[in-house]
Amino acid sequence: MRGVTGVYDVTPDSRPLLGRVPGVEGLYLCAGFSGMGFKISPAIGLVMSELILEGRTKAVDLTPFARRGLRKAAPSKRILSTKMIRKALIQCRQKA
């Protein structure tokens, strides 16, 4: 018999947390992706680098991914739409 274990990194509303951490200068949060994180890491890297270096994002609006009252949030299934990811990946390729 063999078993594997790990942490299931997901928020209660199934949306990742991206953005600044209020009250802690220079600390940014990028967590809660679980199984889909590796697939969209180029797009997430792009938007987080924009946020950190320029103070805002151009590729994707991060408002839906900001810190929020997680216990009160309703589950959202398609918040990371294919269109949003495709747009960010195209911009990532253009900058390379």
Side-chain angles (χ1 to χ4, degrees):
M1 180 178 273
R2 180 181 169 164
V4 178
T5 186
V7 177
Y8 194 67
D9 178 25
V10 68
T11 61
D13 64 357
S14 301
R15 289 187 288 171
L17 296 170
L18 302 170
R20 293 181 185 91
V21 175
V24 185
E25 185 65 32
L27 181 60
Y28 295 82
L29 188 60
C30 184
F33 297 94
S34 197
M36 71 174 176
F38 75 96
K39 296 183 279 188
I40 60 171
S41 59
I44 297 302
L46 172 67
V47 296
M48 290 304 291
S49 69
E50 288 176 347
L51 180 62
I52 293 167
L53 297 174
E54 301 172 26
R56 63 185 179 86
T57 62
K58 293 182 255 177
V60 176
D61 177 21
L62 292 184
T63 305
F65 309 103
R67 280 189 66 213
R68 57 208 176 271
L70 293 176
R71 293 189 178 146
K72 296 178 183 176
S76 176
K77 293 299 175 199
R78 299 251 337 176
I79 194 73
L80 280 175
S81 72
T82 305
K83 185 177 179 181
M84 289 171 58
I85 294 167
R86 187 177 303 122
K87 178 182 175 186
L89 287 172
I90 289 169
Q91 288 186 0
C92 190
R93 284 188 198 121
Q94 290 172 346
K95 288 185 177 187

